[in-house]
């Protein structure tokens, strides 16, 4: 999805690994130097976790989700080849498997994201996994920012207690009329709510509605959230309700 400039990284995760006719097993951990990229054609989880090639499927546990991530861009828009260190890592992917859900209080809460959905996830979430020569990520459902219903980020459906905000345009002139360069323009922290999530879960597993609605003008924490750019160049940000400072009217 070329409309969204996205990045990702690895953290922690959990899943069951199984092969044909085999029960789920725990991956064997080995020291990092023993792992070479491409040494196994089966399943390789980064952070020095190696699983024998006979294991061909991954079943996420609890409220975890398995994503097939996008391939990093290898060229700039002008056609210049990028070294691996300069390539922008993806922050979006397709859901290929989900866990059975989790229990909150007396309620069983199923994973609310369906297989096949195109999603955007938090930059530093999950564990990177290489499965059948494709890059995957195992992460918790709460680390998924939203569902992409079209190729334009303006149509993203935020999840949990997150909101999608269209960022106000930064001032390009001073009060005296001097033009400001991009480097000195003050980063705006005001915007208009475009979409809201269903709300977070309370201790009984019930959704708590969000205190803001679509169309609200809000003031938000300057360094919070995940930033995106729409197809038409419009800037958007997705953040959690606790990062909203005030409703403007």
């Amino acid at each position: 999805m070329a409309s969204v400039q996205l990045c990702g990284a690895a953290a922690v995760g959990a899943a069951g690994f199984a092969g044909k006719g085999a029960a789920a097993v725990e991956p064997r951990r080995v020291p990092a130097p023993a792992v070479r990229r491409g040494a196994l054609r089966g399943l390789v989880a980064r952070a020095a976790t190696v699983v024998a090639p006979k294991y061909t499927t991954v079943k996420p546990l609890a409220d975890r989700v398995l994503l097939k991530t996008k391939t990093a861009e290898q060229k700039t828009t002008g056609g210049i080849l990028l070294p691996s260190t300069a390539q922008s890592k993806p922050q979006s992917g397709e859901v290929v498997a989900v866990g059975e859900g989790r229990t909150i209080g007396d309620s069983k809460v199923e994973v609310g994201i369906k297989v096949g959905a195109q999603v955007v996830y938090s930059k530093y979430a999950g564990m990177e996994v290489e499965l059948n020569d494709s890059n995957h990520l195992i992460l918790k459902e709460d680390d998924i920012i939203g569902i992409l219903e079209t190729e334009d980020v303006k149509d993203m459906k935020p999840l949990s207690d997150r909101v999608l905000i269209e960022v106000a345009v930064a001032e390009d002139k001073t009060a005296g009329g001097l033009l400001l360069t991009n480097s000195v323009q003050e980063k705006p922290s005001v915007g208009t709510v475009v979409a809201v999530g269903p709300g977070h879960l309370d201790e009984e597993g019930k959704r708590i509605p969000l205190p803001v609605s679509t169309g609200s003008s809000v003031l938000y924490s300057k360094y919070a959230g995940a930033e995106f750019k729409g197809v038409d160049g419009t800037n958007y940000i997705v953040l959690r309700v606790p990062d909203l400072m005030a409703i403007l009217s």
Side-chain angles (χ1 to χ4, degrees):
M1 301 184 182
S3 61
V4 187
Q5 300 299 320
L6 307 166
C7 306
V12 293
F17 298 87
K20 298 178 180 178
V25 299
E26 290 295 326
R28 176 173 60 89
R29 295 190 179 276
V30 299
V35 182
R36 291 188 300 107
R37 184 173 180 84
L40 296 177
R41 293 187 59 80
L43 175 63
V44 178
R46 292 172 180 81
T49 301
V50 179
V51 180
K54 66 180 179 180
Y55 299 109
T56 57
T57 61
V58 175
K59 178 178 174 55
L61 301 178
D63 59 340
R64 291 177 173 85
V65 177
L66 176 66
L67 306 179
K68 183 176 181 181
T69 58
K70 288 179 57 179
T71 303
E73 295 291 339
Q74 297 181 344
K75 291 184 179 180
T76 66
T77 53
I80 299 174
L81 285 173
L82 296 172
S84 57
T85 53
Q87 291 174 16
S88 177
K89 295 184 68 179
Q91 196 184 331
S92 64
E94 178 183 351
V95 176
V96 295
V98 299
E100 68 279 8
R102 55 179 171 148
T103 299
I104 302 178
D106 296 328
S107 302
K108 179 65 179 294
V109 181
E110 297 182 350
V111 175
I113 304 169
K114 304 300 182 183
V115 172
Q118 301 292 325
V119 299
V120 179
Y121 52 86
S122 298
K123 180 180 274 189
Y124 301 108
M127 171 187 284
E128 294 182 1
V129 174
E130 188 175 297
L131 174 63
N132 299 328
D133 296 325
S134 296
N135 293 326
H136 292 71
L137 188 73
I138 302 173
L139 71 172
K140 288 192 172 185
E141 179 184 17
D142 192 55
D143 289 324
I144 296 178
I145 295 173
I147 298 174
L148 293 171
E149 298 187 335
T150 71
E151 292 188 354
D152 197 343
V153 69
K154 72 179 179 63
D155 299 317
M156 182 192 300
K157 178 182 176 183
L159 298 179
S160 188
D161 61 343
R162 295 179 177 89
V163 294
L164 173 65
I165 295 172
E166 180 179 336
V167 179
V169 178
E171 294 291 337
D172 59 0
K173 289 183 180 180
T174 66
L178 294 176
L179 288 175
L180 297 173
T181 62
N182 290 335
S183 60
V184 297
Q185 288 177 12
E186 183 177 357
K187 181 181 178 182
S189 54
V190 174
T192 302
V193 176
V194 176
V196 300
H200 71 278
L201 296 170
D202 64 13
E203 295 179 354
E204 297 180 353
K206 297 179 181 179
R207 291 285 179 187
I208 304 299
L210 301 186
V212 295
S213 58
T214 301
S216 299
S217 295
V218 294
L219 175 69
Y220 56 86
S221 179
K222 182 172 291 188
Y223 301 104
E227 298 176 339
F228 304 95
K229 190 175 290 290
V231 170
D232 61 357
T234 301
N235 292 317
Y236 295 88
I237 187 169
V238 179
L239 39 72
R240 292 183 181 272
V241 165
D243 292 319
L244 297 180
M245 309 301 290
I247 298 176
L248 306 177
S249 61

